[in-house]
Amino acid sequence: MPNISGSFSARVTAQSAFTADDQPNHQLHLTEIQATQKSPDPEWNNSKVTYCSVSDLISGNGTQQGYYSNEHPNGDRDYGSFESRVMTAGGQTTIEGTFTIKGGTGKYQGIRGSGTYKGRQVSPTLIEITWTGAYDMAASRVA
């Protein structure tokens, strides 16, 4: 399985926050981000990522889950899911998590893979992420 790595600086394109009254400082966030990937792997470099997530936070700490799609320069896509821990300390919010590549279109049809990522919130509308993982293309799998 080829190893992959990359990064992106993402802009928040949509966000809603809801307060849950079950305990102090409990918020739910629904967020969409978009960015252009930077990767040494030409399969991922310059792909356009969009992800949608739901965060469940108490005083800025909690979990985030969601789904993503990468549109590669040739127009084909890969997509999957992710989950992470969200931590806020000293005014800085960071995330650490895992992603799973679940499928794709065109040349990425049947792709599978997984990896880890880390990130930080630079501002209320900017997130920086670095990631690493591995994938297996359907054409290279032995039946």
Side-chain angles (χ1 to χ4, degrees):
M1 290 188 7
N3 291 322
I4 53 174
S5 63
S7 64
F8 57 84
S9 292
R11 292 267 172 220
V12 174
T13 53
Q15 185 171 25
S16 294
F18 305 92
T19 301
D21 291 332
D22 61 333
Q23 51 192 309
N25 301 314
H26 188 187
Q27 290 190 328
L28 302 171
H29 293 254
L30 178 60
T31 306
E32 177 190 76
I33 65 105
Q34 295 182 348
T36 300
Q37 302 270 16
K38 297 192 182 337
S39 174
D41 186 323
E43 297 289 339
W44 266 259
N45 194 42
N46 293 318
S47 64
K48 306 253 187 264
V49 63
T50 299
Y51 86 54
C52 296
S53 66
V54 175
S55 301
D56 185 352
L57 307 174
I58 299 173
S59 299
N61 298 294
T63 60
Q64 182 183 75
Q65 298 179 17
Y67 298 92
Y68 73 88
S69 174
N70 281 311
E71 181 178 354
H72 296 266
N74 71 354
D76 293 343
R77 293 180 184 267
D78 75 273
Y79 52 84
S81 62
F82 61 90
E83 56 185 49
S84 62
R85 283 189 345 248
V86 179
M87 298 147 292
T88 302
Q92 178 66 60
T93 299
T94 59
I95 59 174
E96 288 187 30
T98 60
F99 65 90
T100 302
I101 304 170
K102 295 188 174 195
T105 65
K107 74 184 276 184
Y108 301 99
Q109 187 171 353
I111 190 172
R112 298 289 183 264
S114 62
T116 60
Y117 64 94
K118 292 182 180 185
R120 69 185 187 104
Q121 187 170 1
V122 177
S123 74
T125 59
L126 183 64
I127 300 166
E128 293 179 342
I129 302 282
T130 58
W131 53 270
T132 186
Y135 66 94
D136 182 28
M137 300 293 268
S140 66
R141 281 194 219 125
V142 177

